[in-house]
Amino acid sequence: MPQSFPQDSVGIVTPQTICFDQPLALACGRQLDSYELIIETYGTLNADASNAILVCHALSGNHHLAGYHSEEERKPGWWDSAIGPGKPIDTDIFFVIGLNNLGGCHGSTGPQSTNPETGKPFGPDFPIMTVADWVESQARLADHFGIQQWAAVVGGSLGGMQALQWAINYPHRLRHCLIIAAAPKLSAQNIAFNEVARQAISRDPDFNNGHYYENGNVPKTGLMLARMLGHITYLSDDGMREKFGRELREGKISYDFNPQFEIESYLRYQGERFSTAFDANTYLLMTKALDYFDPAADYGHSLADAVRNALCKFMVISFTSDWRFSPERSREIVDALVAAEKKVSYAEVDSDHGHDAFLIPNPRYMDIYSAYMNQVASDIPATAKENN
């Protein structure tokens, strides 16, 4: 229980809720007449709002990027290793915004929110969201803060897809785009994993076609199974072998169906914890947004044409043991950017941590990340630095 925080921590942070009354038209053909986004900010916005960084979250992420909500909180935000004084995203230099995307379950408008037409939670009636929808809502968030152009938009996994979409949809509104452990679209295998997870949730007897809020029962078993499946895809074979091997909890086989191997216990623990902290309808929405992401589809299925109007510089990072979004998928993005004659840097980092590597402070990864963010800092207009 931290009574004081490390010098490179942002310390205690307080979330903010921003309300929007302008209707948001969605790709599915529906609209949200009004909505709320819950956010956290770190650092200080400079006079001309040119030092702002937007961090986009992955499937199960949220607005709590760094720091603590109280002195009693044990675990910091999900990207605390990368955000804070002296860290790659240096809060002594940058003003950082993290948000919970629409459809989320941590405070932004989503399935748990009240549907104004019924007075009950939206549940499964909440509109299907796309990455482009999220980017549009994020652009309005930038407007709220008077940010005309982000110093950088950054994201890992699904967050990296949002960063790429930003470069395509709003080329004048970001100077740098950091795409980490992402892909230009999901493979058939990845869509298959997501469908199995959705089936696990929707076939839970407590799911009640998504209307489980009303009876007070949560589809915990379905969420647990979905998370266990997802977690396997976030780890690498080498990483699991090194961490768990075939170790037995009790040192011997018990000849029953209780968890006996350490990896079984670990997956059950992860699934149980997730099932009490995340919303099932949100999980379905987030996986569909992943499945639908394919920005090249609007450009004759040419990713090079999709990014041709982008004006920012790009940094793409992948990890050798990531098989969910393998380095080959990142190189597809790099090849398209090169074909479109964009300024792009690429790094493939050795790691045994699989897809989760983008969250882990591997020294080489942090060095590459920091070096690029130094370039982002150097591109902040000189007048802004003088007035900051």
Side-chain angles (χ1 to χ4, degrees), residues 8-11 13 40-43 53-56 63-67 76-92 94-98 154 366 369 373:
D8 62 355
S9 170
V10 297
V13 293
E40 284 183 7
T41 67
Y42 320 91
I53 304 286
L54 175 66
V55 176
C56 304
H63 56 288
H64 186 37
L65 308 179
W78 60 266
W79 223 358
D80 190 82
S81 61
I83 299 169
K87 294 178 180 177
I89 301 181
D90 192 336
T91 51
D92 288 336
F94 300 111
F95 175 71
V96 185
I97 299 179
V154 184
M366 290 293 102
Y369 202 163
M373 291 308 298

Side-chain angles (χ1 to χ4, degrees), residues 149-338:
Q149 186 182 67
W150 299 101
V153 178
V154 184
S157 189
L158 177 55
M161 296 174 180
Q162 294 166 64
L164 177 58
Q165 192 78 60
W166 259 99
I168 295 168
N169 286 17
Y170 287 99
H172 290 90
R173 298 202 66 175
L174 69 163
R175 293 191 295 278
H176 291 268
C177 177
L178 280 79
I179 304 167
I180 306 172
K185 61 183 176 183
L186 259 60
S187 65
Q189 183 187 56
N190 269 300
I191 294 172
F193 282 129
N194 286 344
E195 175 59 9
V196 172
R198 287 191 292 267
Q199 287 296 311
I201 291 170
S202 61
R203 292 178 182 269
D204 186 312
D206 288 326
F207 183 65
N208 194 30
N209 294 317
H211 293 286
Y212 48 86
Y213 310 116
E214 296 157 23
N215 57 28
N217 294 325
V218 176
K220 286 186 62 177
T221 300
L223 263 174
M224 176 179 172
L225 292 173
R227 184 58 170 180
M228 289 171 71
L229 172 66
H231 209 74
I232 293 169
T233 70
Y234 303 150
L235 304 175
S236 72
D237 185 32
D238 288 343
M240 282 195 281
R241 184 185 303 113
E242 181 179 343
K243 187 172 183 177
F244 304 106
R246 290 178 52 85
E247 295 298 319
L248 294 165
R249 296 177 66 202
E250 305 298 331
K252 60 181 181 179
I253 294 173
S254 59
Y255 296 99
D256 57 34
F257 295 107
N258 292 314
Q260 296 162 58
F261 292 95
E262 290 289 354
I263 184 60
E264 294 176 305
S265 296
Y266 174 78
L267 288 175
R268 289 195 184 196
Y269 167 76
Q270 291 293 337
E272 288 278 2
R273 188 177 68 167
F274 188 77
S275 71
T276 62
F278 209 78
D279 179 65
N281 283 318
T282 288
Y283 199 94
L284 300 185
L285 283 170
M286 295 289 174
T287 57
K288 272 299 179 184
L290 272 165
D291 290 355
Y292 290 154
F293 179 73
D294 183 8
D298 293 330
Y299 297 85
H301 297 283
S302 167
L303 188 60
D305 286 343
V307 300
R308 200 166 302 280
N309 291 328
L311 300 173
C312 62
K313 300 174 184 176
F314 292 84
M315 178 74 215
V316 181
I317 301 175
S318 68
F319 300 91
T320 53
S321 62
D322 182 358
W323 59 278
R324 186 79 195 250
F325 293 145
S326 67
E328 288 79 8
R329 305 311 309 280
S330 288
R331 290 197 290 270
E332 287 179 43
I333 298 173
V334 173
D335 288 346
L337 292 168
V338 170

Side-chain angles (χ1 to χ4, degrees), residues 24-32 101-104 109-111 122-135 137 195 198 207 280-293:
L24 179 67
L26 305 172
C28 67
R30 297 172 61 187
Q31 73 174 29
L32 289 174
N101 278 325
L102 289 170
T109 299
F122 277 102
D125 298 323
F126 193 82
I128 295 290
M129 305 298 297
T130 66
V131 169
D133 293 331
W134 288 335
V135 167
S137 70
E195 175 59 9
R198 287 191 292 267
F207 183 65
N281 283 318
T282 288
Y283 199 94
L284 300 185
L285 283 170
M286 295 289 174
T287 57
K288 272 299 179 184
L290 272 165
D291 290 355
Y292 290 154
F293 179 73

